[in-house]
Amino acid sequence: MYSKIDNKFLERAIELSKQGMNGGKGGPFGCVIVLNGEIIGEGCNQVTSSNDPTAHAEVVAIRQACGKLGTYQLTGCDIYTSCEPCPMCLGAIYWARPRRVVYANTREEAAAIEFDDDFIYGEINATMKDRKIPFIHHPHPMAKEVFVAWKNWEGKVKY
């Protein structure tokens, strides 16, 4: 459920969204990651200022939190974000495996200010031939060899 503590961290994410927007860093999005009541990562959208289309608030915060923890997973962490995550951030969140996500604005509200993630959601579900950007499957034996090597590698770290 939702608590006063959740509200505190969500308001920090919203403040980061405002600071980033007003500072010319990128769109109006902010995120904090919390472990045991302590912020261990935070970020605002930095897409336009860094020329990095992956520099969304959630990704920035995940990178910071994982760096601080020295791990690629956010087990036991809560993510607070000013808006429902886009498909890329949703994927990053699932890879990081936090405990939960609390968000303020919805993706429909983001679409109303011209951040329309529905296009990407639609592309994910489209067949390869129907995607707006062509995806061409080109099987290659060298690529298969690498997968076989990974499958058989005793030293691998599964994630």
Side-chain angles (χ1 to χ4, degrees):
M1 286 304 300
Y2 192 80
S3 70
K4 286 183 180 182
I5 291 174
D6 288 332
N7 196 57
K8 171 185 145 182
F9 292 124
L10 190 58
E11 286 179 357
R12 174 63 184 152
I14 294 165
E15 183 58 34
L16 288 166
S17 74
K18 185 177 178 181
Q19 287 174 4
M21 178 187 72
N22 289 337
K25 290 186 175 184
F29 306 99
C31 180
V32 298
I33 300 175
V34 176
L35 179 62
N36 299 325
E38 176 189 346
I39 294 176
I40 59 165
E42 61 181 27
C44 64
N45 182 290
Q46 299 174 26
V47 169
T48 57
S49 62
S50 67
N51 295 318
D52 179 355
T54 69
H56 289 205
E58 296 89 343
V59 172
V60 171
I62 288 169
R63 289 174 179 163
Q64 188 180 93
C66 287
K68 183 173 185 176
L69 294 176
T71 181
Y72 52 88
Q73 300 212 314
L74 298 174
T75 305
C77 293
D78 295 326
I79 296 179
Y80 296 88
T81 183
S82 64
C83 187
E84 181 179 353
C86 76
M88 177 186 68
C89 294
L90 183 63
I93 288 166
Y94 271 91
W95 280 113
R97 294 172 172 77
R99 184 171 71 122
R100 65 188 181 129
V101 177
V102 178
Y103 64 93
N105 294 323
T106 66
R107 69 186 195 202
E108 292 81 14
E109 290 168 320
I113 61 165
E114 300 179 350
F115 286 93
D116 194 359
D117 300 341
D118 284 336
F119 167 73
I120 300 171
Y121 279 108
E123 287 290 287
I124 289 169
N125 293 320
T127 63
M128 291 294 182
K129 68 178 181 55
D130 292 328
R131 288 188 176 168
K132 303 294 184 240
I133 297 174
F135 279 70
I136 299 142
H137 181 215
H138 183 79
H140 197 287
M142 288 173 59
K144 291 283 189 194
E145 288 173 16
V146 175
F147 270 23
V148 170
W150 173 261
K151 181 179 178 182
N152 297 324
W153 185 28
E154 292 183 20
K156 68 183 164 219
V157 177
K158 293 183 180 182
Y159 60 97

